[in-house]
Amino acid sequence: MRAQVGIIGAGPAGMFLAHLLHAAGIKVVVLEQRDRAYVEGRVRAGVLEQTTVQLMHRLGIGARVAREGLVHAGTTLCVDGEPFHVDFADLTDGGAVTVYGQSEVMKDLNLAADDRGIRIIYGAANVTLDGLDGDHPAVSWTKGKTMRRLACDFVVGCDGYHGVSRASIPADQLKTFERVYPFGWLGILADVPPCNHELIYANHQRGFALASMRSPTRSRCYLQCAADDRVDEWSDERFWDEFSERIGASFTARIVRGPSFEKSIAPLRSFVCETMRWGRLFLAGDAAHIVPPTGAKGMNLAAADVIVLGEAFAAWYGAGDSSGLEDYPRRALDRIWKAERFSWWLTNLTHRFPHMDVFDRHMQIAELSYLKRSRAAQTAFAENYVGLPLDF
Ligand code: FAD
Ligand code: PHB
């Protein structure tokens, strides 16, 4: 088989890129190790920046997010049960985010890929990349007992943190930075109305909690938990008891409890691989960087990466201009480090760390109290949360 660009991974980064390249007349093949139901069923991101929603419209897949997405022009932060509101629209000249699940984004991307004839090969096992440092890279994989091979001009690794693409770069060429946080997030989905019309980020002395949603009748709620906690240690009753305590008295009465139909624990990590290009391999999305979910930035960063990379490929295939491809890591990393900083800052501000002493706790409370009163501080928070413009 042959393609101009071979894409590894059919998550948000891979599929947004596939659509961008297809729209520019570039022939792509996407290889995904799991099946379509798995990719569409994964409950992960919930908050889309305006840039991401605009990308969906530009690609002609924005009808459903416009209809069903919940536009949030503000959020609530809560300190030991005391809430205060941050008005994004007022602070950022009409800025807002859209609450719309990653699985819905994936369904929209995949349905349009069917219509447009974008080739996605699911169930591709043992994916291996070769020839990346020459002019003729290739990707091999097995499907059942058959071994297949795709010859291409370029390979883009959109295969997440655990993928094969970054691992194909020689270790001595990789420049990476990492911070692992000493806790995780326990998340549930339940068909009960959310306890507030917007999200609530709660810093409580027992630990962080987040009230989010997927629709007016579906809640997505998170609790900071120990890094080694197991899902089966958290009954629904234990979850709701702890969530009610942390989210604060003003919302407790509005919590409607119900059985969870999804419950999982995610570790928290900050990670940047600055080697986003090696020979004819490019990395995008979680394959190149991870942020803790506190800032709601991961999927949005994946979309921003591939906007830049898509433009670069269009300039290369359209006009033989390689400057965009050469500049891709610099342009992408500029935004990535800012999102890393925001996600790290908000995680530090809202979570309970095992090493924290009374002084550290006072620092958190003082900063949140400042954020509550200062328009300047709220503006800095709001403009990062709704998303910095591309090339900020
Ligand atoms: P992935 O979604 O990881 O996709 C990679 C794909 O590659 C997968 O389908 C995988 O199966 C495939 N793959 C892996 N290895 C191989 C291989 N060897 N061969 C072939 N295919 C392979 N982000 C936000 O923007 N907003 C939020 O509100 C938000 N909340 C989150 C909440 C939680 C609890 C979590 C865990 C994450 C959250 N994120 C959020 C982050 C977001 O989900 C990720 O950043 C996003 O999924 C990254 O997309 P990606 O396409 O780069 O990687
Ligand atoms: C979610 O709804 O899943 C969500 C919302 C905000 C975050 C993280 C996750 O910061």
Side-chain angles (χ1 to χ4, degrees), residues 53-70:
V53 175
Q54 279 157 12
L55 175 63
M56 293 176 76
H57 285 295
R58 199 174 115 200
L59 293 171
I61 56 161
R64 203 158 66 92
V65 68
R67 226 173 32 242
E68 296 174 18
L70 307 170

Side-chain angles (χ1 to χ4, degrees), residues 142-223:
T142 54
K143 185 131 190 193
K145 288 205 170 101
T146 320
M147 176 127 178
R148 307 229 173 241
R149 187 174 165 86
L150 174 75
C152 36
D153 303 334
F154 298 97
V155 180
V156 185
C158 297
D159 48 353
Y161 181 70
H162 299 286
V164 66
S165 303
R166 195 179 65 252
S168 305
I169 301 175
D172 62 356
Q173 304 286 310
L174 282 174
K175 196 168 170 198
T176 61
F177 304 84
E178 183 169 47
R179 169 144 315 173
V180 177
Y181 298 86
F183 39 73
W185 272 24
L186 167 68
I188 65 158
L189 265 180
D191 274 332
V192 291
C195 63
N196 189 32
H197 67 293
E198 288 170 351
L199 272 58
I200 307 166
Y201 288 84
N203 174 328
H204 190 275
Q205 56 193 354
R206 294 176 65 88
F208 171 80
L210 168 61
S212 182
M213 65 191 74
R214 288 294 176 271
S215 75
T217 56
R218 181 166 288 182
S219 296
R220 175 71 167 156
C221 301
Y222 295 99
L223 285 178

Side-chain angles (χ1 to χ4, degrees), residues 9 12-13 32-33 42 44-47 102 159 286 296 298-300:
E32 165 60 51
Q33 66 179 2
R42 237 174 344 177
R44 294 179 81 183
V47 175
Q102 179 165 333
D159 48 353
D286 279 16
M299 182 164 67
N300 294 301

